Amino acid sequence: MTITDRTVPGLGSSAELRDLVALGCRVLAFRGLAEDILGHISVRTTADELLVRCRGPQERGLLFTGSADVHAVSLDGESELPARFSAPNELPIHTEVLRARPDVQAVVHVHPPAVVAADLAGLPLRPIVGAYNIPAMRMAQNGVPTYPRGVLINRPELGRDVARALGDRPACILRGHGIVATGDSVEQAVVRALNLDALARMTLQASAFGTTPPELSAEDIAAMPDLGSAFNDAQVWAYNISRLENAGLAGDL
């Protein structure tokens, strides 16, 4: 299977998508959500195909992901990858979520330590913050589901279990493991993962002295505006790319 530089309706060319997946991986690693070589991002390209970060012969970890590490795989898990490249062991997370959620275009799977720690400590992600991070508050208000097993999601049936746990929500916690975040673009899925991590870190800090931080009042929640994807996703994405550029980590894709 090969994927050309054709234009993907509403998303851009496959070359642009490879670059986006690579940059998304770098952002997540730079922000501490993906350690070493663990984690991956995928994006839907057709009804039965996706691009996903793969592991290659010169694996350098997510912080140094390049577009050459991003390859096409079918929703059935079939692929013709370049020599010595392999699809992620947890490819079923991506294939089964994309299969179950036609509204989703991109899937992030990473291992944010703060999210894992908060969940293991029995600290649910509740809407305790307001204007500090409105998108995180919205996710918490609607409930962040948890997949209760800490296993490697390396079989289709396990991927289907994760997709069922996720339901129609934007993100899901995998107990003792990490998270799945979705979006209608790579940018949105990455920013949602960042927001979930921010809420988990605030939850840990606010609970550090044995107190239970109160949830935001219904009045305050109702007063929160919807600032739109251009503000919540595009500008946050641009900021994170600028941080990569400042660190010399945005080039050589």
Side-chain angles (χ1 to χ4, degrees):
M1 176 192 306
T2 58
I3 185 168
T4 65
D5 285 345
R6 66 179 180 270
T7 296
V8 181
L11 293 174
S13 73
S14 62
E16 292 170 334
L17 291 176
R18 292 176 197 269
D19 287 350
L20 278 176
V21 169
L23 283 170
C25 289
R26 293 186 185 194
V27 166
L28 292 170
F30 190 66
R31 294 292 302 273
L33 277 70
E35 298 181 353
D36 305 322
I37 61 175
L38 301 176
H40 17 84
I41 297 174
S42 67
V43 61
R44 192 194 303 271
T45 55
T46 69
D48 58 1
E49 184 180 81
L50 60 143
L51 288 169
V52 65
R53 185 199 191 273
C54 296
R55 190 161 296 156
Q58 297 182 356
E59 176 62 57
R60 298 182 299 162
L62 265 71
L63 187 59
F64 305 102
T65 300
S67 58
D69 299 313
V70 183
H71 297 284
V73 179
S74 77
L75 278 183
D76 293 327
E78 299 176 355
S79 61
E80 294 179 8
L81 300 177
R84 298 172 64 194
F85 274 90
S86 61
N89 288 327
E90 295 189 299
L91 181 65
I93 291 176
H94 303 270
T95 57
E96 298 306 324
V97 168
L98 290 173
R99 196 189 305 277
R101 292 279 301 275
D103 60 305
V104 166
Q105 298 301 320
V107 177
V108 164
H109 171 54
V110 280
H111 301 172
V115 180
V116 176
D119 181 58
L120 292 178
L123 300 172
L125 300 186
R126 301 177 298 119
I128 60 173
V129 300
Y132 174 79
N133 189 320
I134 296 175
M137 181 272 293
R138 295 286 185 214
M139 279 198 286
Q141 178 192 11
N142 294 325
V144 181
T146 299
Y147 175 68
R149 302 186 65 190
V151 298
L152 200 67
I153 312 301
N154 57 1
R155 303 195 309 274
E157 59 268 27
L158 293 174
R160 289 191 288 272
D161 288 344
V162 169
R164 279 191 289 270
L166 174 68
D168 62 356
R169 304 298 171 81
C172 177
I173 298 169
L174 309 180
R175 178 146 297 152
H177 184 171
I179 67 168
V180 175
T182 67
D184 58 20
S185 66
V186 170
E187 297 96 321
Q188 185 178 69
V190 167
V191 171
R192 282 175 169 173
L194 293 173
N195 289 335
L196 203 63
D197 179 65
L199 181 58
R201 287 187 284 106
M202 187 57 66
T203 298
L204 287 171
Q205 292 172 25
S207 306
F209 299 100
T211 60
T212 300
E215 294 188 7
L216 209 63
S217 70
E219 180 183 10
D220 283 355
I221 288 176
M224 292 297 168
D226 181 357
L227 299 176
S229 185
F231 184 89
N232 291 330
D233 301 323
Q235 292 190 26
V236 174
W237 171 266
Y239 161 73
N240 278 282
I241 298 305
S242 294
R243 288 187 64 173
L244 286 182
E245 291 171 346
N246 186 61
L249 292 167
D252 299 323
L253 292 176

